[in-house]
Amino acid sequence: MATLNFGRCEIDLIARQVRIDGRVALLGPRAFDVLEVLIEARGQLVTKAEILDRAWGGLMVEENNLQVQVAALRKQLGARAIVTIPGRGYRFALAAGTASPPVTANGHRRHNLPEQVTSLIGREQDIAAVDGVMRRARLVTLTGVGGIGKTRLALAVAAHTIDAFPDGLWFVDLATLTRAQQVPPLVARALDVPSSGQDLRSTLLAYLEHRKLLLVLDNCEHVIESCAQLCHDVLVRCDGLRILATSRESLRVQGEQTYIVPPLPIPRTDAEASATSIRQSASVALFVERATAARASFAVSDANIEAIAAICRRLDGIPLAIELAARRIGVLSAQEVSRGLDDRFRLLGQGPRAEVTRQQTLGALIDWSHELLSPDEQDLFRRLAVFAGGWSLDAARVVCRATATSDDTIPDLLEHLVNKSLVVVEERAGEMRYGLLDTLRAYALARLRACGDADAAQQAHLDYFLALVEATDMHLLTADQGPWLDHLDCERENLLAALAWAASTRGRAGDGLRLAGALGTYWWLRGLLREGRRWLALLLDLATDAPPAIRRKALCAMASLALGQGEPAAAQSHHEAALASAASLAERHETARSQLAVAYWAWSQGTPDARVAQAMFDETLRMCRAVGDTWGTAMALNGLGYLALIPAHDVARARNLHQQALVAFASITDRVGASYAVSGLGFGALLEDDLDEAGRRYREALGIARDLDDRRGIAEALDGLADVVAGRGEPAAAARIWGASQRLREEFTYALADPLRDHHARRIAAARAALGKPEAFDLAWGADRSRPLRDVIDAAGSALDAASAAASGTAPEAAAHRSCGDPDAG
């Protein structure tokens, strides 16, 4: 039976709807899956295991997920509709009545919606959103890239609204049409419009004029002009009719509302993405269900879950692509499918025979969209493939300037590609950001290589980002550093792609080394020490004939990054190599910043090298002041301040030097440098046992570092706050902060200098002894290591407040208003 009656409740198995007294109940697809299992065995026990297995398609989920769905069903059907058999399962308890045929009030069919043989997964929010849009607009067009699931979503929305249209729902598939003139006859045929011998369009409009129905026009993009004209005529003449269309671009009809169908959510890529969260991802659920259909024994396991997640990510959450990949599980493991996506168009080259040709393979799916583009649009689409992670309009103008099309037309062509669902766009910080889904980028890149334009486009891409980074480098240590760092963050994937192309292309390694050297400050400030050293080392080896100035800058960057990772010998070697190539005074000044790194290295070795460090800092300070290098001056002053603290213990001199450094950093609005100088002031206060001042300074430094996402500065300030908290007599709270800071250092390979490491070790040993229970200290040390960094920072501030309040006898609540970076804090 298509529809089952249970008293006031009517269950439509085709539309997958529950209606209570004629009102459509709001139920998600998963709840309906559970209901179907229960109805099949109505009156009998169905075990929890069986329901979970059938309703979730073999996906391993927690039992509370089933409880949530049962609660949703009871809310709609009544508390007595589903009986719980304690410890075993559930039983459907409503008594069945007669079936309700799918017809309209006048005895005609209610709809011609095709029955779906697979379940719709992950579209609950989209169904609700489109339903809301349809309440406001009479023409709604679902747009999106091919394979995104526009048709399935349209059918689900239509079924959801069946009771709102007394004259039914009528689906018209336009995919097979070859001429625009065929649109009205196909619509008339779907509606069973009787022929009158008059003009067919007039007959169709007359038939629809007084009817209240929903017309679903599917696949409009290749006959879009004819569809747009028909929709316009219908909207003008037929007040009671609504249209739901699917197309890869909007119809551009007055009154139209467009809904962009998004990809299915994909698993997160960060370290905090748990196996449970991966299993709950809609794209993973789709893959698992379709994979199980291909191989009944397939199951998610710890061994394959990361591969499944990678498949869904690399296929951008596009349902059809995921389904094609899942079909390969019949003969391949998930790991093999994941690896095979490097050549995705070959791997995903066979779909269901019953599907239309363009949906049988991934390549054919995109071919359909590509062939609908004009030659200029095709050319731009190919060239945009050189971008990784997106691009700005300015970048597209410059990089794609090599095209035969003038760059003045690029904005219009780019808009066309957005409208045709080939390019995605979003606004970030007041600028429009464009991008290609990975699958579309792979397709366009293959086309670009096939036409022989790849090298020219890649070189233009490298040239653009080299110019951008060199222009940015001078701003990274000035008042503008925040926005410029953010800009480079946004372009990081493009920067890595440019480096990779330069390293792999004959004759381009020199350009790549120039780019890597220019990125040295960025890598340092963002804590990307390992990444920076890897690229610099590779390109220094490849670009042996690069101009001396380019190699010198790269070697200076290597020296700084090596020191940051606790490899002073490597840092000194790189600095000496850079210095040896500097012939003039101006060239020697270029090496002053790497000399700073070596001076810090000499200090980091402890007392035996203190005089060497003093001489190097003094020389660097003299050179930087002579040429007006404010940043180098500030860094040298900061280093001399630390040298005064350890080993000299001259706190007064150190305070003066750090304050001078702070003034110099402030004059160029270098907040990163300022946080280091403030930490130096905090360290001096700590050595004098001025815990109030130390806490205030470290809190200030932490706030600056947090705002700039400076992981090195955050770790340093957290260590200082832990020292203060331990000094206040709270060793367990201090251990939690130290543990979190250590995790940060391990993650970003930051190394402590030996003098600071010795101080650090002594403080930790004292706190461990004060707690008196080594196992309790170790437990506290690990408590916050896996917490999100934002929570760690907040917890550290709260621990400082509590410790300070306890020491002063002030209620903790009085200090709780203070936060990291608050200028009034302390």
Side-chain angles (χ1 to χ4, degrees), residues 64-276:
N64 65 333
N65 287 284
L66 174 57
Q67 295 169 354
V68 168
Q69 302 303 333
V70 170
L73 290 170
R74 283 172 171 159
K75 182 177 180 180
Q76 299 294 341
L77 305 179
R80 298 181 180 179
I82 300 174
V83 176
T84 300
I85 311 299
R88 300 179 65 191
Y90 300 95
R91 176 171 57 83
F92 189 77
L94 293 181
T98 58
S100 174
V103 297
T104 62
N106 59 15
H108 297 139
R109 291 183 300 146
R110 293 187 78 175
H111 66 77
N112 68 340
L113 302 181
E115 185 172 351
Q116 302 303 301
V117 296
T118 58
S119 59
L120 181 63
I121 293 175
R123 291 301 190 190
E124 295 87 347
Q125 292 183 351
D126 295 301
I127 292 171
V130 176
D131 184 56
V133 175
M134 289 181 63
R135 296 176 190 276
R136 304 189 301 270
R138 292 175 56 213
L139 168 60
V140 177
T141 303
L142 307 183
T143 65
V145 66
I148 203 69
K150 300 182 291 295
T151 300
R152 288 300 304 270
L153 179 58
L155 290 171
V157 171
H160 186 71
T161 60
I162 191 168
D163 287 334
F165 299 99
D167 293 310
L169 317 173
W170 305 101
F171 177 82
V172 185
D173 185 1
L174 307 170
T176 59
L177 298 189
T178 57
R179 298 191 308 276
Q181 302 93 307
Q182 296 173 314
V183 172
L186 189 62
V187 173
R189 193 179 312 129
L191 291 166
D192 290 332
V193 176
S195 175
S196 63
Q198 300 177 357
D199 173 65
L200 181 59
R201 181 180 294 271
S202 299
T203 301
L204 178 59
L205 292 174
Y207 176 85
L208 295 173
E209 186 170 7
H210 300 295
R211 282 177 166 78
K212 188 174 183 181
L213 59 81
L214 175 66
L215 185 61
V216 182
L217 299 178
D218 191 36
N219 297 300
C220 297
E221 58 269 0
H222 62 302
V223 285
I224 198 162
E225 297 296 336
S226 181
C227 288
Q229 186 60 56
L230 178 62
C231 289
H232 172 269
D233 294 346
V234 167
L235 293 177
V236 169
R237 185 165 172 181
C238 310
D239 293 340
L241 188 141
R242 291 178 182 257
I243 302 170
L244 179 60
T246 75
S247 175
R248 299 191 189 186
E249 62 177 306
S250 62
L251 304 184
R252 289 189 291 171
V253 174
Q254 189 171 8
E256 176 188 29
Q257 286 285 312
T258 300
Y259 182 86
I260 301 174
V261 180
L264 290 176
I266 58 177
R268 291 158 44 187
T269 57
D270 55 59
E272 296 168 17
S274 64
T276 300

Side-chain angles (χ1 to χ4, degrees), residues 9 37 44 82 84 91 120 137 147 188 236 322 348 356 360 433 459 481 516 553 573 585 659 675 689 693 754 756:
C9 171
V37 174
Q44 300 177 14
I82 300 174
T84 300
R91 176 171 57 83
L120 181 63
V236 169
I322 291 171
L348 309 183
V356 293
Q360 288 188 2
R433 184 80 180 170
Q459 184 65 54
Q481 68 183 172
K553 186 176 181 67
S573 174
L585 178 62
Q659 286 174 340
S675 73
D689 286 330
E693 174 69 3
D754 285 351
L756 293 178

Side-chain angles (χ1 to χ4, degrees), residues 646 683 686-687 723 754-763:
I646 301 177
F683 188 39
L686 196 64
L687 293 181
D723 288 346
D754 285 351
L756 293 178
R757 189 182 298 115
D758 294 342
H759 163 85
H760 191 56
R762 288 194 298 272
R763 291 276 179 169

Side-chain angles (χ1 to χ4, degrees), residues 520 524 529 555-565 571 574 593-594 597:
W524 171 268
L529 310 187
L555 287 164
C556 289
M558 278 286 275
S560 297
L561 299 180
L563 186 70
Q565 287 194 291
H574 295 313
R593 293 188 178 181
S594 69

